[in-house]
Amino acid sequence: MSQTLLIAVKEWRDGLRNRWVIATTALLAALALTLAFLGSAPTGTVKVGGLAVTVVSLSSLTIFLVPLIALLLSYDAIVGEIDRGTMSLLLTYPVARWQVLLGKFIGHLAILVFATVVGYGTAGMAAQWSGSGDPDAWAAFALLIATSALLGGVFIAIGYLISAMVGDRGAAGGIAVGVWLFFVVIYDMALLGGLAVDQGRTMTASMLNFLLLVNPTDAYRLLNLTATKDVSAISGVAVLGAHSGIGPQALIGALVAWILAPLVGAMALFARRQV
């Protein structure tokens, strides 16, 4: 385990040296503060606190931004080091390949967690300072930060799987962009189109629930936008949340499964790969 932590610390230091930590934290903080100070302006005058509006806005922002940052952090974690020759040097030390991958995962996840806590936490404190925070909204805000880290972990693990499958960095980068487009944009458009065409003839509630859990960004969206009564009311998914029948435990379980499956797959592929 000590070797795993050493590699995690190395990844964190690499993130500090190449400005990933600073850039990611500054970007999330700037966007979160902008949304917090805008308050309820995009939705007009509503009977909920500004922090609840901020939770809805940040949830939408996170679905687009955090998966992209996570994939950029991880898509060349294996193939990039093999290309540079540093992976061969690393594996001459008494460290197992699964420890290398797990250490990288912990280090990259730590960067995302730090950026999310500091960036979004700054926006939360700004909302509280302006008097628009309330206890229920703070619970939803804490859930937002925790699940944003989980969503980042999902796409870091997917990035490792891509990196373990391909032979060069260019292919890994192209596939990573394609994966981001599929899960963040194309999947929901296809699902909405299918529902509109089907008109409830063959699509059952259980099938829709399954399709929502298959996409980690949908699981994240449903979990955060139905967190409290105020948040679900202004996000417009109160009806979906009430009728989906998917509890918070199932949604969190889906996100955890989405981390474990690609991470284990990446470890299996990396274990058999010639370096």
Side-chain angles (χ1 to χ4, degrees):
M1 191 63 187
S2 59
Q3 289 91 338
T4 302
L5 292 178
L6 285 174
I7 292 171
V9 171
K10 172 189 172 296
E11 291 298 327
W12 173 264
R13 287 176 175 169
D14 287 346
L16 285 174
R17 187 165 49 248
N18 59 28
R19 307 290 192 273
W20 261 110
V21 176
I22 296 173
T24 305
T25 304
L27 177 64
L28 291 181
L31 293 174
L33 280 171
T34 301
L35 293 174
F37 281 119
L38 282 175
S40 60
T43 56
T45 302
V46 294
K47 294 180 180 179
V48 298
L51 190 57
V53 178
T54 303
V55 169
V56 175
S57 301
L58 286 180
S59 297
S60 300
L61 172 71
T62 301
I63 289 168
F64 286 92
L65 196 57
V66 168
L68 184 60
I69 293 172
L71 286 170
L72 289 175
L73 275 171
S74 60
Y75 80 93
D76 68 342
I78 297 173
V79 70
E81 291 221 33
I82 292 175
D83 283 351
R84 293 188 294 270
T86 51
M87 185 63 78
S88 299
L89 177 63
L90 180 61
L91 293 179
T92 60
Y93 292 98
V95 56
R97 294 193 180 197
W98 69 267
Q99 290 176 313
V100 172
L101 210 57
L102 185 59
K104 285 179 172 291
F105 178 80
I106 294 172
H108 285 151
L109 185 61
I111 293 173
L112 263 183
V113 169
F114 178 83
T116 306
V117 170
V118 174
Y120 288 3
T122 303
M125 295 304 296
Q128 181 67 30
W129 175 73
S130 66
S132 58
D134 60 78
D136 286 344
W138 270 111
F141 195 80
L143 179 67
L144 168 76
I145 292 177
T147 53
S148 296
L150 273 179
L151 185 65
V154 168
F155 282 90
I156 289 172
I158 292 174
Y160 289 167
L161 183 60
I162 295 170
S163 193
M165 290 172 60
V166 301
D168 62 84
R169 295 182 63 201
I175 295 173
V177 172
V179 166
W180 179 81
L181 280 174
F182 175 77
F183 282 118
V184 175
V185 180
I186 297 173
Y187 186 92
D188 286 342
M189 292 175 64
L191 181 58
L192 287 174
L195 289 172
V197 172
D198 184 70
Q199 292 291 317
R201 288 189 291 270
T202 58
M203 183 74 73
T204 63
S206 58
M207 288 174 62
L208 179 59
N209 290 346
F210 173 77
L211 292 173
L212 290 173
L213 292 176
V214 165
N215 186 349
T217 61
D218 282 337
Y220 171 88
R221 180 187 288 113
L222 194 58
L223 182 60
N224 282 283
L225 297 186
T226 59
T228 66
K229 185 178 177 181
D230 285 349
V231 169
S232 61
I234 60 176
S235 64
V237 297
V239 176
L240 178 60
H243 290 85
S244 69
I246 308 175
Q249 295 84 359
L251 294 169
I252 293 173
L255 289 174
V256 172
W258 263 106
I259 293 175
L260 295 178
L263 191 60
V264 172
M267 287 178 179
L269 289 173
F270 184 43
R272 296 195 297 269
R273 182 161 180 166
Q274 293 288 335
V275 177

